Amino acid sequence: MEVKAYSQEIESPVAAARLFKAFCLDNHNVFPSLMPEFFKSIEFVKGTSVAVGSVRQFNFSDGYQYKNAKNKIDELDLANFYCKSTTAGGDMVDGKYECLVIETKLYPKGSGCVCKMTIHVHPMPGTEFNKEVPKMGQEQMKKMFKTVEAYLIANPGAYA
């Protein structure tokens, strides 16, 4: 089945380096503390930090539509604020998708940045593709981004 890609760009007054650290490199700590309604915990299944080849299990909060998702870091470019990861395990993808490939790239812009997030959806052969699901995923990622951004604005020393 054809791979579908969905992209969005979000401008932020927060510097790319700070947002990248919080949103991409330390999200295993940041997401559960700032968004307990979505994330119960994020644990490393392979590796002990965000690095190429590391695998994290995202455990979602009780009552959330999914229980968990396993995510592997495929590419990481610290100097250019780029992270590419693949979600290929957990009930978020089981039976529906071969995988979801997520690319996050932050571009400095003035004293802030622009974040481009792209989700590449790889549906399972023979499954009906629901284009509303990636749209909901984009909305969720934007909410997560804006939550981290608000935290960094309120705490100017965090991830500086």
Side-chain angles (χ1 to χ4, degrees):
M1 194 167 238
E2 182 181 336
V3 174
K4 310 278 187 190
Y6 299 86
S7 294
Q8 64 179 333
E9 289 189 3
I10 307 167
E11 285 199 37
S12 174
V14 178
R18 290 183 66 214
L19 263 169
F20 189 73
K21 286 177 194 173
F23 192 72
C24 295
L25 301 181
D26 198 34
N27 60 20
H28 54 282
N29 291 312
V30 173
F31 289 2
S33 66
L34 295 182
M35 297 169 270
E37 67 277 15
F38 300 120
F39 300 97
K40 187 185 299 185
S41 65
I42 300 173
E43 303 163 355
F44 283 93
V45 176
K46 181 179 177 186
T48 57
S49 65
V50 175
V52 173
S54 66
V55 177
R56 298 165 296 168
Q57 179 166 306
F58 288 71
N59 298 303
F60 299 108
S61 296
D62 296 336
Y64 192 65
Q65 61 184 341
Y66 305 113
K67 291 181 184 178
N68 58 58
K70 286 191 180 168
N71 180 269
K72 179 182 177 187
I73 302 296
D74 300 314
E75 296 178 37
L76 192 59
D77 184 342
L78 302 175
N80 292 300
F81 312 118
Y82 175 77
C83 181
K84 180 179 177 183
S85 63
T86 300
T87 299
D91 69 338
M92 192 168 105
V93 294
D94 286 349
K96 300 173 279 252
Y97 308 106
E98 289 179 3
C99 66
L100 304 172
V101 177
I102 303 157
E103 292 183 88
T104 305
K105 171 79 171 115
L106 285 85
Y107 301 90
K109 182 177 180 183
S111 60
C113 68
V114 174
C115 176
K116 182 176 181 181
M117 290 184 273
T118 303
I119 303 171
H120 303 270
V121 180
H122 298 251
M124 293 288 281
T127 59
E128 188 172 321
F129 182 74
N130 181 349
K131 62 183 175 186
E132 293 303 312
V133 172
K135 288 180 187 176
M136 290 186 310
Q138 283 184 304
E139 290 172 18
Q140 188 65 34
M141 289 183 76
K142 184 174 184 178
K143 285 180 190 175
M144 292 164 36
F145 181 87
K146 288 297 187 181
T147 299
V148 173
E149 175 190 69
Y151 170 78
L152 294 173
I153 290 169
N155 298 278
Y159 298 95

